[in-house]
Amino acid sequence: SARFELMNEANYFTWKYRMEMQLIRKDLWGIVNGSEPRPPTGARAQAAWDKRQRLAAAEIVLHVSDGQLPHTRKTTDPAEMWRILKNVHEDAGWANRMTLMRRFVMLRKGSDVSMQEHLNKFNEYFQALVDVQVDVPDMLKVTVLLASLPEDYENLVTAIESHIDANTTTDATTGERQVSLDFE
Protein backbone atom coordinates (compact mmCIF):
# COMPACT_ATOMS: atom_id res chain seq x y z
CA SER A 1 0.00 0.00 0.00
CA ALA A 2 1.27 3.46 -0.85
CA ARG A 3 2.26 5.51 2.14
CA PHE A 4 1.70 9.24 2.19
CA GLU A 5 0.89 11.85 4.78
CA LEU A 6 -2.58 11.67 6.26
CA MET A 7 -4.84 14.50 5.17
CA ASN A 8 -5.00 17.31 7.70
CA GLU A 9 -6.21 20.90 7.70
CA ALA A 10 -3.14 22.11 5.76
CA ASN A 11 -2.38 19.53 3.06
CA TYR A 12 -5.70 18.82 1.37
CA PHE A 13 -4.64 19.66 -2.19
CA THR A 14 -1.60 17.36 -2.17
CA TRP A 15 -3.53 14.66 -0.33
CA LYS A 16 -6.42 14.86 -2.82
CA TYR A 17 -4.12 14.18 -5.74
CA ARG A 18 -2.34 11.30 -4.02
CA MET A 19 -5.59 9.81 -2.74
CA GLU A 20 -7.11 9.93 -6.22
CA MET A 21 -4.06 8.08 -7.56
CA GLN A 22 -4.34 5.53 -4.73
CA LEU A 23 -8.00 4.90 -5.55
CA ILE A 24 -7.22 4.61 -9.27
CA ARG A 25 -4.47 2.11 -8.53
CA LYS A 26 -6.91 0.01 -6.50
CA ASP A 27 -9.62 0.37 -9.18
CA LEU A 28 -11.96 2.18 -6.77
CA TRP A 29 -11.94 5.70 -8.21
CA GLY A 30 -15.00 5.10 -10.42
CA ILE A 31 -17.08 4.42 -7.32
CA VAL A 32 -15.84 7.59 -5.61
CA ASN A 33 -16.21 9.93 -8.59
CA GLY A 34 -19.59 8.47 -9.58
CA SER A 35 -18.58 7.18 -13.01
CA GLU A 36 -19.23 3.60 -11.91
CA PRO A 37 -22.77 3.41 -10.46
CA ARG A 38 -24.09 0.42 -8.57
CA PRO A 39 -25.41 -2.21 -11.00
CA PRO A 40 -29.23 -2.07 -11.11
CA THR A 41 -29.56 -5.85 -11.25
CA GLY A 42 -27.61 -9.00 -10.48
CA ALA A 43 -27.09 -9.97 -6.86
CA ARG A 44 -23.48 -11.06 -7.46
CA ALA A 45 -22.55 -7.85 -9.33
CA GLN A 46 -24.26 -5.71 -6.68
CA ALA A 47 -22.48 -7.55 -3.86
CA ALA A 48 -19.11 -7.07 -5.59
CA TRP A 49 -19.82 -3.34 -6.10
CA ASP A 50 -20.94 -2.96 -2.46
CA LYS A 51 -17.69 -4.57 -1.30
CA ARG A 52 -15.63 -2.20 -3.47
CA GLN A 53 -17.64 0.73 -2.13
CA ARG A 54 -16.75 -0.29 1.44
CA LEU A 55 -13.09 -0.67 0.41
CA ALA A 56 -13.10 2.83 -1.10
CA ALA A 57 -14.59 4.27 2.09
CA ALA A 58 -11.95 2.45 4.14
CA GLU A 59 -9.15 3.83 1.95
CA ILE A 60 -10.37 7.37 2.45
CA VAL A 61 -10.89 7.04 6.21
CA LEU A 62 -7.51 5.36 6.71
CA HIS A 63 -5.79 8.26 4.93
CA VAL A 64 -7.18 11.15 6.99
CA SER A 65 -5.91 12.46 10.33
CA ASP A 66 -7.97 12.24 13.51
CA GLY A 67 -8.96 15.88 13.10
CA GLN A 68 -10.65 15.07 9.79
CA LEU A 69 -12.60 12.03 11.02
CA PRO A 70 -15.70 14.05 11.96
CA HIS A 71 -16.12 14.87 8.26
CA THR A 72 -15.84 11.25 7.14
CA ARG A 73 -18.07 9.90 9.91
CA LYS A 74 -21.10 11.68 8.47
CA THR A 75 -21.57 8.89 5.89
CA THR A 76 -20.37 5.47 4.82
CA ASP A 77 -20.61 6.37 1.13
CA PRO A 78 -17.11 7.17 -0.20
CA ALA A 79 -18.49 9.47 -2.92
CA GLU A 80 -20.25 11.51 -0.24
CA MET A 81 -17.10 11.50 1.95
CA TRP A 82 -15.13 12.85 -0.99
CA ARG A 83 -17.73 15.57 -1.62
CA ILE A 84 -17.78 16.57 2.07
CA LEU A 85 -13.98 16.81 2.24
CA LYS A 86 -13.94 18.80 -0.98
CA ASN A 87 -16.58 21.21 0.33
CA VAL A 88 -14.68 21.69 3.59
CA HIS A 89 -11.21 22.16 2.10
CA GLU A 90 -11.71 23.30 -1.47
CA ASP A 91 -14.30 25.96 -0.82
CA ALA A 92 -13.84 28.76 -3.34
CA GLY A 93 -15.28 31.32 -0.92
CA TRP A 94 -13.41 34.45 0.03
CA ALA A 95 -12.21 33.20 3.41
CA ASN A 96 -10.61 30.04 2.05
CA ARG A 97 -9.15 31.84 -0.95
CA MET A 98 -7.65 34.51 1.29
CA THR A 99 -6.20 31.85 3.60
CA LEU A 100 -4.58 30.10 0.64
CA MET A 101 -3.29 33.38 -0.79
CA ARG A 102 -1.88 34.41 2.59
CA ARG A 103 -0.12 31.04 2.92
CA PHE A 104 1.28 31.49 -0.60
CA VAL A 105 2.63 35.03 -0.15
CA MET A 106 4.02 34.34 3.34
CA LEU A 107 6.00 31.26 2.28
CA ARG A 108 9.66 31.48 3.33
CA LYS A 109 12.49 29.06 2.65
CA GLY A 110 13.96 27.82 5.91
CA SER A 111 17.67 27.21 6.26
CA ASP A 112 16.98 23.52 6.91
CA VAL A 113 14.87 23.15 3.74
CA SER A 114 16.41 22.20 0.40
CA MET A 115 15.65 24.35 -2.62
CA GLN A 116 13.77 21.42 -4.18
CA GLU A 117 11.57 21.05 -1.09
CA HIS A 118 10.94 24.78 -1.10
CA LEU A 119 9.98 24.80 -4.78
CA ASN A 120 7.69 21.82 -4.19
CA LYS A 121 5.93 23.69 -1.37
CA PHE A 122 5.72 26.83 -3.53
CA ASN A 123 4.13 24.82 -6.37
CA GLU A 124 1.77 23.08 -3.94
CA TYR A 125 0.53 26.43 -2.62
CA PHE A 126 0.25 27.83 -6.15
CA GLN A 127 -1.73 24.77 -7.32
CA ALA A 128 -4.09 25.16 -4.34
CA LEU A 129 -4.87 28.68 -5.57
CA VAL A 130 -5.45 27.44 -9.11
CA ASP A 131 -7.77 24.73 -7.75
CA VAL A 132 -10.03 27.38 -6.16
CA GLN A 133 -9.95 29.56 -9.29
CA VAL A 134 -7.58 32.28 -8.05
CA ASP A 135 -5.73 33.87 -10.95
CA VAL A 136 -2.13 34.53 -9.98
CA PRO A 137 -0.38 36.72 -12.55
CA ASP A 138 3.13 35.66 -13.55
CA MET A 139 4.60 38.83 -12.06
CA LEU A 140 3.10 38.05 -8.65
CA LYS A 141 4.19 34.42 -8.87
CA VAL A 142 7.82 35.38 -9.61
CA THR A 143 7.76 38.12 -6.97
CA VAL A 144 6.47 35.76 -4.29
CA LEU A 145 9.05 33.14 -5.19
CA LEU A 146 11.93 35.62 -5.08
CA ALA A 147 10.64 37.17 -1.84
CA SER A 148 10.46 33.73 -0.26
CA LEU A 149 14.20 33.21 -0.54
CA PRO A 150 16.51 34.01 2.40
CA GLU A 151 19.12 36.76 2.35
CA ASP A 152 21.94 34.44 1.23
CA TYR A 153 20.13 34.18 -2.14
CA GLU A 154 20.20 37.97 -2.63
CA ASN A 155 22.80 37.80 -5.45
CA LEU A 156 20.63 35.31 -7.34
CA VAL A 157 17.51 37.43 -6.79
CA THR A 158 19.32 40.53 -8.05
CA ALA A 159 20.57 38.66 -11.13
CA ILE A 160 17.07 37.41 -11.94
CA GLU A 161 15.55 40.86 -11.45
CA SER A 162 18.23 42.37 -13.71
CA HIS A 163 17.58 39.73 -16.35
CA ILE A 164 13.85 40.41 -16.23
CA ASP A 165 14.41 44.17 -16.44
CA ALA A 166 16.75 43.76 -19.41
CA ASN A 167 14.32 41.45 -21.20
CA THR A 168 11.16 43.51 -20.84
CA THR A 169 9.70 44.90 -24.05
CA THR A 170 6.60 46.86 -24.94
CA ASP A 171 4.17 45.34 -27.44
CA ALA A 172 3.80 47.86 -30.28
CA THR A 173 0.12 47.07 -30.88
CA THR A 174 -1.21 46.75 -27.34
CA GLY A 175 1.28 48.85 -25.39
CA GLU A 176 1.55 46.05 -22.81
CA ARG A 177 4.89 45.27 -21.25
CA GLN A 178 6.05 41.72 -21.88
CA VAL A 179 8.85 39.84 -20.19
CA SER A 180 10.91 37.03 -21.60
CA LEU A 181 11.90 34.67 -18.81
CA ASP A 182 14.12 32.60 -21.11
CA PHE A 183 17.40 32.13 -19.23
CA GLU A 184 19.49 30.52 -21.98
Side-chain angles (χ1 to χ4, degrees):
S1 180
R3 295 182 145 279
F4 51 92
E5 188 177 357
L6 298 179
M7 194 262 284
N8 58 47
E9 59 282 339
N11 69 348
Y12 169 77
F13 294 97
T14 301
W15 174 88
K16 176 183 79 166
Y17 180 69
R18 287 189 173 135
M19 191 70 230
E20 182 178 333
M21 295 301 109
Q22 173 85 349
L23 292 165
I24 288 170
R25 185 176 78 163
K26 294 192 172 202
D27 195 28
L28 301 170
W29 179 239
I31 290 172
V32 174
N33 75 6
S35 66
E36 188 180 333
R38 187 173 192 263
T41 60
R44 189 170 289 177
Q46 289 174 336
W49 190 93
D50 292 345
K51 180 179 181 181
R52 291 178 57 235
Q53 183 188 42
R54 290 189 303 274
L55 289 171
E59 282 294 325
I60 293 170
V61 170
L62 292 173
H63 284 89
V64 300
S65 67
D66 291 350
Q68 300 302 308
L69 288 176
H71 304 305
T72 61
R73 284 189 172 144
K74 295 176 180 178
T75 182
T76 58
D77 177 6
E80 182 65 11
M81 283 180 195
W82 194 264
R83 187 190 64 72
I84 291 168
L85 292 170
K86 179 178 168 92
N87 288 344
V88 168
H89 296 283
E90 203 171 317
D91 175 30
W94 274 88
N96 190 42
R97 292 164 72 178
M98 287 189 319
T99 298
L100 294 172
M101 181 61 86
R102 186 170 36 82
R103 189 179 299 158
F104 178 67
V105 300
M106 294 187 70
L107 178 66
R108 299 294 178 263
K109 181 189 176 303
S111 59
D112 60 334
V113 175
S114 73
M115 181 56 80
Q116 186 60 57
E117 289 173 301
H118 179 67
L119 291 172
N120 290 345
K121 185 61 70 177
F122 175 84
N123 286 324
E124 176 186 331
Y125 288 178
F126 173 72
Q127 187 60 49
L129 289 167
V130 170
D131 287 349
V132 294
Q133 292 80 46
V134 173
D135 181 35
V136 180
D138 287 343
M139 180 184 234
L140 178 59
K141 189 176 176 184
V142 172
T143 301
V144 169
L145 179 60
L146 294 179
S148 73
L149 299 175
E151 212 171 285
D152 51 325
Y153 284 83
E154 194 57 37
N155 288 339
L156 175 65
V157 169
T158 301
I160 291 171
E161 289 172 341
S162 296
H163 175 81
I164 289 171
D165 198 35
N167 290 283
T168 301
T169 59
T170 303
D171 185 295
T173 57
T174 65
E176 290 184 27
R177 294 177 50 90
Q178 297 175 337
V179 176
S180 169
L181 294 178
D182 187 10
F183 286 96
E184 290 184 34

